[in-house]
Amino acid sequence: MLANSPSVKDATAKSWVDEVARITKPREVIWLDGSKSQYQELIDVAVGMGTLIPLNPQKRPRSYLARSHPRDVARMEDRTFVCTPTEAEAGPNNNWREPKSMREKLLDVFSECMQGRVMYVIPFVMGPVGSPFSRAGLQVTDAPYVAASMTIMTRVAPAAFDEIAAKHGFVRAWHSVGAPLAEGETSDSWPHNDSVYVAHFPQESTVMSFGSGYGGNALLAKKCFALRLASYSARAEGWLAEHMLIVKVTDPEGNEHYLTGAFPSACGKTNLAMMRSHLPGWQVQTIGDDIAWIHVGDDGRLWAINPESGFFGVAPGTSPKTNPVAIEMLASDTIFTNTALTADGDVWWEGLTDEPPSDLIDWRGAAWSPDSGRPAAHPNARFTVATSRCSEIAPEWNSPAGVPISAMLVGGRRPDTVPLVNESLSWEHGVFLGASMSSAQTAAAEGEVGVVRRDPFAMLPFCGYDLAQYWQHWLEIPRIAAAKTGLSIEEVRQQLPKIFQVNWFQVDEEGRFIWPGFAENLKIVIWALQRAAGSASADSTPLGLRPPLDEASLVSGEVSTSDLETLLAVDVPKWSLEADRISEYFETFGNEVPAELGAQLQALRSRLAKNPT
Ligand code: OXD
Ligand code: MN
């Protein structure tokens, strides 16, 4: 049995937990301290429940497979709510609910919902312990799988109480699978409730999540805290909470550069964050693969921390070719969810090997063969693994000050129209590129896969307030930086990162990707970093700036000069239509859309008009 631990120094924390227990009525309350032994005990409990299946220790030591309920496999955006005082504040991008009545509704839903189960209390820190940018949270959950996953994904430690004391507060994260047990009843292996709520109360720094045990619906530190609630606080406090990877690139001269990238879910952030350099003298290291908290430094530069301490990555498509660093990282100490199981007790997913093993158990637990006509792993199957397992993690991932960012990528999954890379002409133009981003939908959220939707800065599902106000906040950054540093706006502009739009996903007539992607993306990253450092040339296009077409470093065995021309081409008729679509999208935000973005759209239209071919 887990020890009921720590001396809870913070009276507010203690009384909140008491209140939750009074409402939810668990049979026992256990505080976690982040220790290895407690983690192992959580795992043992989850194995005992049948939630986790131990993998063959000869193949994958200390690793487990979880099979979720078939209806609980992804983030549920239509069951995710933002409860700001007014609907206008939440914006058309969020499902708004009036906070008081929603809170009452949820208190009702949570009433006695943990009966017969243990409530785990998880004190955690987001960001390096002691960093001025870190924040603390307390999550309660009645799912040992969720508690174990949170132990991997966040810094669970008694130090959270010091952070709470220092920062005067913490995020309150309520989580229940919503499946109380009657006396003597045993639990399902994946308890859940068909009625799901993931409700955010930014004013009270509170999340209440009920019914789902999966990913972002349940690991509340991730999307709920580090993006939705954090983006809301960030606007008021003058910083940015972004759905961005952070990567470190060291050039052959030993200069260190840091870059962030905003990409929608399942668009290769983890692969880009873990690229292995194949270019002589260049080194790539990982800082984070999903979330960046970005603050203006005293020097006027933007400094980023990764608030997480683990990776919750999409498994399908991850292979020794696409992400060798991840494959090594997953060799042990990993929780897999909804992958297939091999006959010898290991995991498999589509793309891991060219040929599937002939004999598998699929993610639902049914026998599978290559003729089954359905995927063996769920397309949103995941791995959960600690940052410390990544051999290429940069030591400064844990630096309290964060890392200074010199370039930012914004990119979606577009089969055509959006070129391989496009450099913005100014900070404001970069914000326009982020605000007008779009991408074909993936399996990371419920909804039809493949449909192109606008996903500004990859934050559509994660921004805790009106996206139009969020764009305005991005536009304010130069002024915020000038006010903080005493530099002029012009001086600040020299310090801010350059913003680049990228698209790795253009296809030819046969539907094949034209750009090889993966490790080759490093060439684009290098061009962007060299542009930021002022050491690479560029040509103008109606969209912005691009590498010269004879850019030898981008051409390789796989990419001919003519491919490169296709990849970098600007199709003016398509872009005129794209401008119309952007305009229609902006209109859905009414008067809130910053005038500056209207001016950027107008400027795009006039550049296109001057280049009719
Ligand atoms: C994620 C997501 O899990 O974006 O990171 O869906
Ligand atoms: Mn994500």
Side-chain angles (χ1 to χ4, degrees):
M1 185 41 63
L2 295 161
N4 198 354
S5 39
S7 59
V8 182
K9 294 180 205 143
D10 188 277
T12 343
K14 176 89 177 67
S15 68
W16 176 67
V17 171
D18 288 347
E19 183 204 340
V20 178
R22 212 166 33 244
I23 295 165
T24 59
K25 300 260 189 313
R27 73 174 156 78
E28 195 180 347
V29 176
I30 292 176
W31 290 73
L32 300 193
D33 60 11
S35 63
K36 282 207 171 73
S37 57
Q38 263 198 345
Y39 172 77
Q40 191 53 48
E41 288 175 58
L42 288 167
I43 294 285
D44 294 345
V45 174
V47 170
M49 279 171 71
T51 311
L52 293 181
I53 301 166
L55 296 174
N56 180 344
Q58 254 78 56
K59 298 257 161 197
R60 233 168 262 271
R62 299 173 301 281
S63 297
Y64 302 85
L65 169 64
R67 292 195 189 116
S68 79
H69 188 277
R71 281 197 300 279
D72 193 16
V73 292
R75 285 184 291 98
M76 293 178 202
E77 292 179 8
D78 59 343
R79 301 304 302 162
T80 299
F81 305 96
V82 166
C83 309
T84 44
T86 65
E87 182 165 9
E89 198 178 353
N93 45 297
N94 281 305
N95 289 324
W96 178 76
R97 291 289 186 277
E98 192 280 315
K100 189 162 170 293
S101 52
M102 191 62 165
R103 190 177 161 78
E104 274 161 22
K105 163 98 202 149
L106 280 158
L107 286 177
D108 199 35
V109 164
F110 270 89
S111 169
E112 306 191 354
C113 70
M114 294 191 186
Q115 239 168 23
R117 296 190 184 272
V118 174
M119 178 170 102
Y120 302 99
V121 183
I122 311 165
F124 62 95
V125 183
M126 299 301 281
V129 172
S131 163
F133 311 130
S134 297
R135 309 244 155 164
L138 273 187
Q139 175 163 338
V140 298
T141 180
D142 52 6
Y145 162 87
V146 170
S149 304
M150 282 285 294
T151 306
I152 296 175
M153 295 301 300
T154 70
R155 294 157 171 95
V156 176
F161 297 109
D162 301 327
E163 292 282 331
I164 290 173
K167 310 279 163 61
H168 311 294
F170 60 95
V171 163
R172 293 153 173 76
W174 304 53
H175 175 252
S176 171
V177 292
L181 293 170
E183 192 72 41
E185 192 185 351
T186 52
S187 175
D188 290 348
S189 60
W190 189 273
H192 75 293
N193 190 306
D194 281 338
S195 175
V196 170
Y197 297 84
V198 185
H200 303 73
F201 300 86
Q203 248 79 23
E204 287 112 57
S205 296
T206 296
V207 190
M208 297 179 85
S209 167
F210 179 90
S212 165
Y214 204 91
N217 303 328
L219 314 181
L220 303 184
K222 195 173 180 57
K223 305 299 182 178
C224 300
F225 176 171
L227 289 176
R228 296 193 192 94
L229 294 186
S231 62
Y232 187 90
S233 312
R235 175 179 50 153
E237 296 162 10
W239 54 286
L240 297 164
E242 297 301 323
H243 192 201
M244 287 181 170
L245 64 93
I246 314 169
V247 87
K248 172 182 177 184
V249 179
T250 309
D251 68 26
E253 287 74 50
N255 303 308
E256 295 169 344
H257 312 262
Y258 302 91
L259 166 139
T260 62
F263 296 84
S265 311
C267 286
K269 279 206 299 300
T270 308
N271 296 338
L272 189 63
M274 293 178 193
M275 271 179 311
R276 182 160 276 166
S277 167
H278 58 301
L279 301 174
W282 291 87
Q283 191 192 7
V284 182
Q285 287 169 291
T286 312
I287 307 268
D289 80 327
D290 197 40
I291 299 177
W293 283 357
I294 304 171
H295 289 76
V296 175
D298 295 335
D299 56 1
R301 290 190 290 176
L302 297 189
W303 291 72
I305 60 166
N306 168 13
E308 304 189 278
S309 73
F311 304 108
F312 178 67
V314 176
T318 308
S319 77
K321 278 187 218 134
T322 62
N323 192 338
V325 175
I327 293 296
E328 277 171 33
M329 167 175 91
L330 303 178
S332 72
D333 300 277
T334 303
I335 298 177
F336 297 91
T337 306
N338 288 346
T339 63
L341 182 65
T342 64
D344 56 359
D346 200 3
V347 283
W348 189 85
W349 51 78
E350 276 66 21
L352 178 60
T353 51
D354 290 340
E355 295 301 323
S358 53
D359 198 7
L360 285 174
I361 310 285
D362 74 6
W363 67 276
R364 292 170 188 252
W368 185 94
S369 79
D371 311 323
S372 298
R374 56 177 202 275
H378 187 278
N380 191 35
R382 298 284 181 144
F383 52 78
T384 310
V385 62
T387 311
S388 56
R389 285 277 319 145
C390 177
S391 60
E392 301 304 325
I393 197 81
E396 54 277 53
W397 87 277
N398 210 11
S399 150
V403 295
I405 303 302
S406 45
M408 292 175 152
L409 307 182
V410 296
R413 193 181 270 272
R414 290 288 300 261
D416 53 33
T417 313
V418 178
L420 178 61
V421 58
N422 173 39
E423 178 184 333
S424 59
L425 301 166
S426 62
W427 178 261
E428 288 71 16
H429 182 222
V431 175
F432 170 76
L433 295 179
S436 57
M437 243 171 85
S438 60
S439 191
Q441 203 171 323
T442 67
E446 305 257 296
E448 203 181 330
V449 171
V451 173
V452 171
R453 65 173 185 178
R454 296 280 145 200
D455 191 351
F457 287 97
M459 284 288 278
L460 175 67
F462 307 124
C463 185
Y465 62 102
D466 186 329
L467 276 169
Q469 291 175 21
Y470 163 85
W471 302 329
Q472 182 59 41
H473 179 51
W474 267 85
L475 292 166
E476 296 292 341
I477 293 294
R479 277 183 289 279
I480 293 172
K484 168 146 196 212
T485 58
L487 298 172
S488 70
I489 294 276
E490 273 328 300
E491 286 165 330
V492 158
R493 286 179 181 285
Q494 302 305 313
Q495 303 296 324
L496 289 176
K498 270 190 190 290
I499 301 177
F500 298 80
Q501 176 181 44
V502 295
N503 177 22
W504 318 134
F505 298 97
Q506 284 184 77
V507 293
D508 62 16
E509 286 85 38
E510 270 87 56
R512 284 183 305 238
F513 290 116
I514 310 174
W515 175 249
F518 306 107
E520 286 295 288
N521 293 340
L522 178 57
K523 294 179 175 172
I524 302 299
V525 164
I526 291 174
W527 182 74
L529 291 171
Q530 289 177 334
R531 288 292 302 157
S535 63
S537 59
D539 289 342
S540 281
T541 77
L543 305 183
L545 296 160
R546 72 175 175 200
L549 282 179
D550 57 2
E551 182 71 43
S553 64
L554 297 181
V555 175
S556 68
E558 284 167 279
V559 184
S560 61
T561 315
S562 82
D563 282 344
L564 194 62
E565 274 177 34
T566 313
L567 288 162
L568 291 172
V570 177
D571 184 323
V572 171
K574 277 201 181 125
W575 268 95
S576 300
L577 277 175
E578 183 75 7
D580 293 344
R581 294 211 192 100
I582 295 171
S583 166
E584 282 159 23
Y585 180 64
F586 284 174
E587 275 163 27
T588 61
F589 292 87
N591 296 334
E592 293 293 327
V593 180
E596 177 60 41
L597 294 190
Q600 289 294 335
L601 182 60
Q602 201 39 52
L604 168 64
R605 287 197 199 275
S606 33
R607 291 195 302 269
L608 290 167
K610 285 197 205 113
N611 295 267
T613 50

